[in-house]
Amino acid sequence: MELVSNLIHQFSDVIYYFVSFSLIISVIIFVHEYGHYIIAKACKVKVESFSIGFGPEVFGFYNKFGTRWKLSAIPLGGYVKMLGDNNTASVPVSQQELTEEERLYSLHTKPRYKKTAIVFAGPLANMILAVIAFTIFFSVTGYYRTPPVIGSIIEGSVADQAGLLPGDIITQINEYGIKYFEDISRVMMLSPEAKVEIRYSRNNKGHKTTLTPLITEDKDVFGDEIKRKTIGITSVNIAGLKRSSFLGAVSLSVSETYHVMYLTIKALFQIVIGKRSINEIGGPIKIAKYSVQSTKKGFVMVLYFMAVLSATLAAVNLLPIPLLDGGHLFNYIIEAIIRRDLSPRYHKYAATFGATILFLLMVIAISNDIRHLF
């Protein structure tokens, strides 16, 4: 009887993971694809299908414009297929295969600036979603914008050994300027090197020191154990510092969206050049885990997670990898330089290369997810 109960409990957990993940990722994917869709319609491009998910269709219908809206079986992405696309990756068909009327509404016969607008609209929609979700989150929970002034030094810490003192103003860490105290931990994340150079102001005079942060065990907003770099300083304690003004929340949300995207691209670049471990790449299992944890902490935390995930998706999609939006934008830049369209043969080989890269990244991500589970 106990075995049956455990199996039922485990099955319920799996369903909860799947539903939480599917709902959150589907909203983010829908916003992304709707960005493509709405600008395509504005540019008079016919959209043949709009799918949330890949694989076999589960449910679908046609709208009055002849677009097939559908929910597909594998909730790991989505696509809009436009007239003139040979497949869901927007590899163009030979335009000679289209009728004269079809060429009027084909994506690939439109001016390059319209194609660029349609492609860029997806990541832009995700940026807008991230800003909106962050704004609601910060408006509800409040936020801190602490000046980068050291309030106290932990005795014996690396900051103490480096000669930092209470009242010192941190102005720069490595090549990154520091505007708020909260920027310090963010910059530490960007620095895979063992040592960091800190520039600070004391009595209106500039100083610098180099130190090696300690790696400590901590917990993130979802309660998971993570490793953080610390140097042993705390911020000044200013009463009533927590704010919740709407305009302030909007400003912070734009900044936070930018920082998430910058962190994502910077971290990926550091992995490529070998400064970070490839084990840091996470995949759908990790996303599902955080989806569940955010739903358990309430709607506000779901918004926070969606904002981070949406900004991350925008950044990844802008990478110049074939099949991604950034790959298409890169092609348009090349075409503008050479003043002609790239050949169908190029698109075929580029699509194969891009699919290989994305497949390898997915294998690495899922392998990391499975290893971290056990």
Side-chain angles (χ1 to χ4, degrees):
M1 192 69 181
E2 184 178 352
L3 177 61
V4 173
S5 177
N6 288 336
L7 289 174
I8 293 175
H9 181 71
Q10 290 176 2
F11 180 74
S12 299
D13 285 346
V14 170
I15 295 296
Y16 190 53
Y17 265 67
F18 178 78
V19 171
S20 300
F21 168 79
S22 298
L23 288 176
I24 290 176
I25 201 70
S26 293
V27 169
I28 294 170
I29 294 300
F30 176 84
V31 169
H32 179 94
E33 300 302 339
Y34 192 73
H36 291 310
Y37 174 83
I38 200 69
I39 301 302
K41 297 298 294 180
C43 293
K44 299 188 183 304
V45 172
K46 177 178 173 57
V47 180
E48 295 183 325
S49 57
F50 185 119
S51 176
I52 301 300
F54 295 106
E57 178 181 320
V58 176
F59 168 78
F61 62 91
Y62 286 99
N63 67 6
K64 63 180 181 179
F65 302 109
T67 301
R68 181 69 177 179
W69 293 71
K70 56 186 179 180
L71 182 67
S72 299
I74 306 172
L76 291 178
Y79 62 88
V80 286
K81 183 176 181 295
M82 303 180 197
L83 183 62
D85 288 343
N86 187 48
N87 51 38
T88 59
S90 286
V91 175
V93 299
S94 172
Q95 297 306 299
Q96 283 71 36
E97 297 179 18
L98 304 177
T99 66
E100 196 67 37
E101 182 179 0
E102 286 176 331
R103 281 198 284 270
L104 293 175
Y105 300 98
S106 169
L107 168 67
H108 303 285
T109 58
K110 295 298 179 183
R112 200 164 287 118
Y113 75 90
K114 287 189 176 182
K115 292 191 287 187
T116 299
I118 293 169
V119 170
F120 184 70
L124 179 61
N126 280 130
M127 295 179 215
I128 294 171
L129 173 62
V131 170
I132 292 172
F134 272 135
T135 297
I136 297 172
F137 174 80
F138 290 129
S139 295
V140 172
T141 64
Y143 54 91
Y144 294 92
R145 303 296 288 269
T146 318
V149 180
I150 297 177
S152 62
I153 303 283
I154 298 174
E155 187 176 352
S157 66
V158 291
D160 186 26
Q161 295 170 14
L164 293 173
L165 297 174
D168 288 346
I169 303 172
I170 307 295
T171 58
Q172 186 174 321
I173 298 179
N174 291 341
E175 70 269 30
Y176 305 102
I178 302 297
K179 188 175 180 181
Y180 301 104
F181 195 89
E182 290 74 27
D183 295 334
I184 296 174
S185 60
R186 193 196 313 273
V187 169
M188 291 291 186
M189 289 174 59
L190 278 172
S191 304
E193 298 88 357
K195 293 185 177 182
V196 296
E197 181 185 83
I198 295 180
R199 293 181 180 270
Y200 59 97
S201 174
R202 178 186 298 166
N203 299 325
N204 295 320
K205 291 184 179 180
H207 302 270
K208 69 177 181 178
T209 185
T210 300
L211 48 77
T212 303
L214 292 177
I215 307 297
T216 61
E217 296 289 338
D218 199 356
K219 291 189 176 182
D220 60 18
V221 292
F222 300 109
D224 285 332
E225 289 188 357
I226 57 173
K227 292 181 179 180
R228 292 191 190 277
K229 291 183 176 181
T230 63
I231 60 174
I233 62 174
T234 62
S235 64
V236 291
N237 184 18
I238 300 177
L241 190 65
K242 195 171 186 179
R243 304 167 182 149
S244 58
S245 73
F246 177 74
L247 290 179
V250 172
S251 175
L252 180 58
S253 297
V254 172
S255 175
E256 196 69 14
T257 299
Y258 165 78
H259 282 300
V260 170
M261 293 180 66
Y262 181 78
L263 278 169
T264 300
I265 294 174
K266 183 79 173 182
L268 287 173
F269 177 73
Q270 289 172 341
I271 289 172
V272 170
I273 64 176
K275 285 191 173 183
R276 284 184 182 274
S277 171
I278 201 170
N279 294 332
E280 294 185 35
I281 297 175
I285 298 175
K286 186 175 182 179
I287 295 173
K289 178 182 177 181
Y290 280 123
S291 298
V292 171
Q293 290 171 333
S294 65
T295 58
K296 288 181 178 179
K297 290 180 178 292
F299 181 67
V300 172
M301 284 307 299
V302 170
L303 282 175
Y304 177 82
F305 176 63
M306 285 180 62
V308 173
L309 194 56
S310 189
T312 302
L313 178 64
V316 171
N317 257 285
L318 288 173
L319 294 174
I321 299 174
L323 300 188
L324 297 181
D325 294 329
H328 295 302
L329 293 173
F330 179 75
N331 288 343
Y332 299 152
I333 293 173
I334 297 299
E335 289 177 344
I337 293 173
I338 65 177
R339 297 187 178 184
R340 61 179 173 82
D341 291 343
L342 293 166
S343 68
R345 184 178 182 184
Y346 166 84
H347 286 292
K348 178 182 177 181
Y349 286 121
T352 302
F353 173 76
T356 303
I357 294 295
L358 295 177
F359 176 75
L360 289 175
L361 287 174
M362 182 62 72
V363 169
I364 291 169
I366 294 176
S367 298
N368 288 342
D369 288 350
I370 294 173
R371 186 170 62 255
H372 291 152
L373 280 178
F374 301 100

